[in-house]
């Protein structure tokens, strides 16, 4: 059996509510479909379809990753016109986040896992299938204290993607 997996930052309910406020307005602006608030996340490394027997190896990688907690100031909204998504993100990405993603990707590559060839562009997708992209702009900041990351599986449900957080690790340091 295959699982579609990725590592992600998953906000807690309080942060999610603050981020979710922007979805409907940006969906109207971009003429797109707002994602469900419960699905809001930032992908760190996309693994694609992976044989379920590899799950213990992947979980071991999550456990080996050493990275420090950090604050992420979500203060920008914008679009990826080609992917037709609108996102929330930061004007300045903390180097702790780049470090976390780089170290994770290195562990995955060493284990010949992860087929993510995209350059890491930290973002939280809030709207899909946009028809009218808008220019990047500042938004009222949401302070997200990031102290954990997780392994997520995604499958196609009747009303869009359904996500299961399989395992969570705390950031320490
Ligand atoms: P997105 O939000 O920018 O679309 C589950 O599909 C998660 O993995 C989403 O956050 C999605 O990013 C990301 N994702 C999907 N396909 C991907 C790919 N080929 N490379 C990198 N990330 C991908």
């Amino acid at each position: 059996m295959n699982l579609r997996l990725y590592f992600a930052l998953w906000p807690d309910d309080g942060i999610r509510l603050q981020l979710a406020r922007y979805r409907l307005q940006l969906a109207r602006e971009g003429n797109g479909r707002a994602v469900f608030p419960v699905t809001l996340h930032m992908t760190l490394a996309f693994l694609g379809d992976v044989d379920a027997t590899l799950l213990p190896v992947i979980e071991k990688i999550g456990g080996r990753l050493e990275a420090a907690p950090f604050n992420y100031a979500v203060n920008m909204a914008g679009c990826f016109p080609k992917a037709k998504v609108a996102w929330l993100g930061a004007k300045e990405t903390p180097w702790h986040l780049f470090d976390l993603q780089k170290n994770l990707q290195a562990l995955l590559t060493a284990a010949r896992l992860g087929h993510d060839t995209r350059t890491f562009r930290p973002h939280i997708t809030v709207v899909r299938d946009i028809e009218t992209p808008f220019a990047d702009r500042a938004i009222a900041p949401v302070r997200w204290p990031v102290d954990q990351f997780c392994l997520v599986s995604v499958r196609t449900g009747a009303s869009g993607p359904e996500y299961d957080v399989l395992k969570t690790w705390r950031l320490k340091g």
Side-chain angles (χ1 to χ4, degrees), residues 4-8 39 41-48 80 83 85 115-118 121 123-126 128 152 154 161 163:
R4 198 167 179 78
L5 298 176
Y6 63 101
F7 282 95
T39 71
H41 65 271
M42 177 187 290
T43 298
L44 294 171
F46 184 70
L47 278 71
F80 294 148
V85 302
H115 75 199
D116 195 345
T117 49
R118 298 185 200 166
R121 288 200 284 175
H123 67 278
I124 302 151
T125 296
V126 285
R128 295 198 183 274
V152 185
V154 56
Y163 303 92

Side-chain angles (χ1 to χ4, degrees), residues 78-97:
C79 295
F80 294 148
K82 227 168 109 189
K84 292 184 181 291
V85 302
W87 49 259
L88 300 177
K91 191 156 193 240
E92 279 169 29
T93 301
W95 61 267
H96 275 108
L97 173 55

Side-chain angles (χ1 to χ4, degrees), residues 20-66:
R21 281 190 319 211
Y22 291 101
R23 301 153 45 245
L24 299 180
Q25 181 197 337
L26 295 177
R28 265 196 306 275
E29 248 177 79
N31 224 336
R33 185 170 46 81
V35 305
F36 293 115
V38 74
T39 71
L40 289 171
H41 65 271
M42 177 187 290
T43 298
L44 294 171
F46 184 70
L47 278 71
D49 292 326
V50 174
D51 195 298
T53 57
L54 286 172
L55 210 46
V57 177
I58 295 164
E59 290 189 354
K60 208 177 257 177
I61 287 174
R64 277 178 55 202
L65 184 65
E66 284 181 21

Side-chain angles (χ1 to χ4, degrees), residues 99-171:
D99 246 24
L100 166 64
Q101 196 276 339
K102 198 176 67 187
N103 294 344
L104 176 59
Q105 196 61 57
L107 289 171
L108 291 169
T109 304
R112 295 173 196 274
L113 286 163
H115 75 199
D116 195 345
T117 49
R118 298 185 200 166
T119 310
F120 179 52
R121 288 200 284 175
H123 67 278
I124 302 151
T125 296
V126 285
V127 184
R128 295 198 183 274
D129 302 326
I130 57 167
E131 286 170 8
T132 39
F134 50 85
D136 297 2
R137 66 152 188 276
I139 57 167
V142 175
R143 184 176 166 276
W144 178 7
V146 178
D147 59 2
Q148 57 186 33
F149 67 101
C150 58
L151 178 66
V152 185
S153 102
V154 56
R155 57 204 148 75
T156 312
S159 52
E162 289 174 8
Y163 303 92
D164 290 315
V165 175
L166 301 181
K167 201 169 169 88
T168 299
W169 295 269
R170 294 204 79 75
L171 297 170

